[in-house]
Amino acid sequence: MDLKKVLPFFSYLFHPIFISVYGTLFYFLVSQMYLFKTLFYMILLQVGILTLLLPLSLYYLFYSMGLVKSFTEANLKERKIPIMIQAVLLFILIKFSSSFDTLPELYYFFLGGFLSSILAFLAVSLKFKASLHMIAICSLATFIYSLSLHLQFYFINSIAFIIIATGFVASSRLYMKSHTPIELIVGSCIGVLSQIAFWHFWL
């Protein structure tokens, strides 16, 4: 298998726009909360609309207007508006969704996502292009590890998979010449620390 042909696939599979849905599905799968089907569908619908469908619709709008040029690539100028919109949508999800009242794990996962969006926006404002892909997948990896601690289950296969996937995403971003190593490292730190910042409240 030619990894150079496979690597770009990981930039699409683990695009930041999908991470909130992945985290939500994983949470319901391992916590057994999927047994409450009404709650599951309600949360998944809210998350899907606010973090996936709306951003995708806005992306195609921006693409048609020439404000962005690629689904996986964006320069500093093109990043500001999408990151700001992501932060606003996550704030709406956190602030106005009463469904999270009984789901503190998901609440703090998305709160960590909101914090990482703010930090990514600050980085762009300082003319630094932290990797959004690494922010996203490292947030998800930290959330999976956090759940293993919280639920006292060792998701060895899941943790191993997400670690390997993180490596592939980092390699993909380097191969595609989208980021420098320092931009990947900073993105990874933002993703991990934005989740760890709220451990005190739910772990």
Side-chain angles (χ1 to χ4, degrees):
M1 181 183 295
D2 188 352
L3 285 180
K4 290 184 177 181
K5 294 181 180 179
V6 175
L7 285 176
F9 169 74
F10 286 88
S11 286
Y12 290 94
L13 180 62
F14 291 101
H15 191 281
I17 206 170
F18 301 127
I19 295 300
S20 294
V21 173
Y22 291 163
T24 301
L25 289 173
F26 183 82
Y27 169 74
F28 276 101
L29 179 64
V30 302
S31 68
Q32 302 296 307
M33 292 297 289
Y34 64 87
L35 296 175
F36 302 94
K37 291 185 178 180
T38 302
L39 180 63
F40 170 70
Y41 290 128
M42 184 183 301
I43 292 289
L44 191 60
L45 182 63
Q46 292 171 352
V47 172
I49 291 174
L50 287 172
T51 70
L52 181 59
L53 297 181
L54 267 178
L56 273 177
S57 300
L58 290 171
Y59 161 75
Y60 284 112
L61 174 63
F62 294 152
Y63 183 80
S64 66
M65 296 172 63
L67 296 177
V68 295
K69 298 178 181 179
S70 171
F71 186 61
T72 59
E73 313 296 327
N75 56 37
L76 281 170
K77 183 179 179 181
E78 293 173 344
R79 283 170 166 244
K80 278 192 174 183
I81 295 178
I83 292 175
M84 187 185 304
I85 289 174
Q86 180 188 37
V88 170
L89 292 175
L90 284 173
F91 177 79
I92 292 172
L93 181 64
I94 296 164
K95 183 69 175 178
F96 298 104
S97 176
S98 60
S99 303
F100 290 129
D101 291 345
T102 56
L103 304 173
E105 303 90 347
L106 273 185
Y107 174 81
Y108 287 111
F109 171 57
F110 288 114
L111 193 59
F114 173 72
L115 175 58
S116 68
S117 297
I118 297 300
L119 294 176
F121 184 80
L122 289 175
V124 171
S125 300
L126 295 172
K127 310 298 182 185
F128 184 82
K129 194 173 74 168
S131 172
L132 299 180
H133 279 75
M134 295 309 295
I135 291 175
I137 195 167
C138 286
S139 293
L140 179 62
T142 307
F143 179 60
I144 291 174
Y145 176 70
S146 303
L147 277 179
S148 74
L149 296 177
H150 180 63
L151 300 175
Q152 296 185 349
F153 286 112
Y154 299 103
F155 308 129
I156 296 176
N157 292 335
S158 298
I159 292 173
F161 171 79
I162 199 65
I163 289 174
I164 293 171
T166 300
F168 275 116
V169 170
S171 299
S172 173
R173 305 313 288 162
L174 287 174
Y175 171 71
M176 297 172 73
K177 295 182 169 52
S178 302
H179 291 284
T180 63
I182 188 63
E183 290 171 347
L184 297 179
I185 291 171
V186 171
S188 300
C189 290
I190 290 175
V192 171
L193 294 177
S194 63
Q195 293 295 317
I196 291 178
F198 298 103
W199 273 5
H200 172 73
F201 300 101
W202 68 280
L203 281 187

